[in-house]
Amino acid sequence: MPSFDLPQTQQDALLQAARQARRNAYAPYSNYPVGAAVLDEQGRIHCGCNVENAAYPEGLCAEAAALAAMVLAGGRQARAVLVVGNGGDGNWITPCGGCRQKLREFGAPDLPVLSANEVALGPRYTLSQLLPESFGPGHIKAK
Ligand code: THU
């Protein structure tokens, strides 16, 4: 799928799914609930929310949860990702560095990554914009 060529219906479905997922976020420490939705190669949508922990570094990001749901369901390619969190106007949510690498495992360089909040869609990027010159599965393919 070329960059940014995401049909409106799929974009709407991703947005609704990520907003719904965000409602179940467990974020008592940061008070920053996040929802993520991933479109897989079968056209299915998988969701995740952040799950924090009293031992702070053990918290899980919404994108990681959504990718785990995709893999569990048998999906192996992310075709689009949408993340919802508070922000806008210069501080739209974007995936953290660790999640950019996790997305790299299952996404092409032109993977669309869309940002949104509860009321609007924000900027959109490609994965390679967010994680240039990245290290990925191709670097360690079985010899
Ligand atoms: N978080 C996500 O789940 N995804 C992002 O894209 C950015 C940050 C979570 C981690 C933590 O639970 C909270 O948001 C604040 O950093």
Side-chain angles (χ1 to χ4, degrees):
M1 176 184 295
S3 324
F4 309 137
D5 186 15
L6 189 61
Q8 187 68 42
T9 51
Q10 286 182 330
Q11 185 175 294
D12 291 347
L14 284 166
L15 183 59
Q16 194 186 358
R19 283 180 176 157
Q20 186 64 43
R22 183 171 174 269
R23 284 179 204 129
N24 283 335
Y26 177 73
Y29 305 107
S30 70
N31 274 316
Y32 190 81
V34 181
V38 177
L39 179 72
D40 76 8
E41 75 274 22
Q42 298 175 51
R44 301 175 303 175
I45 289 176
H46 309 277
C47 303
C49 61
N50 54 339
V51 182
E52 298 186 345
N53 193 283
Y56 292 0
E58 297 305 322
L60 185 68
C61 286
E63 297 90 328
L67 285 173
M70 183 188 85
V71 171
L72 175 64
R76 288 295 181 270
Q77 289 171 45
R79 293 283 165 81
V81 181
L82 190 148
V83 188
V84 173
N86 282 343
D89 231 6
N91 69 339
W92 287 94
I93 186 170
T94 60
C96 77
C99 285
R100 293 176 192 200
Q101 185 65 39
K102 289 180 176 72
L103 291 167
R104 171 68 173 84
E105 190 69 20
F106 301 104
D110 67 352
L111 172 74
V113 180
L114 284 64
S115 174
N117 62 24
E118 275 302 325
V119 296
L121 268 169
R124 41 175 68 198
Y125 309 92
T126 62
L127 181 59
S128 63
Q129 284 178 305
L130 297 177
L131 193 68
E133 307 300 335
S134 63
F135 183 85
H139 290 88
I140 52 172
K141 274 267 146 54
K143 289 162 246 145

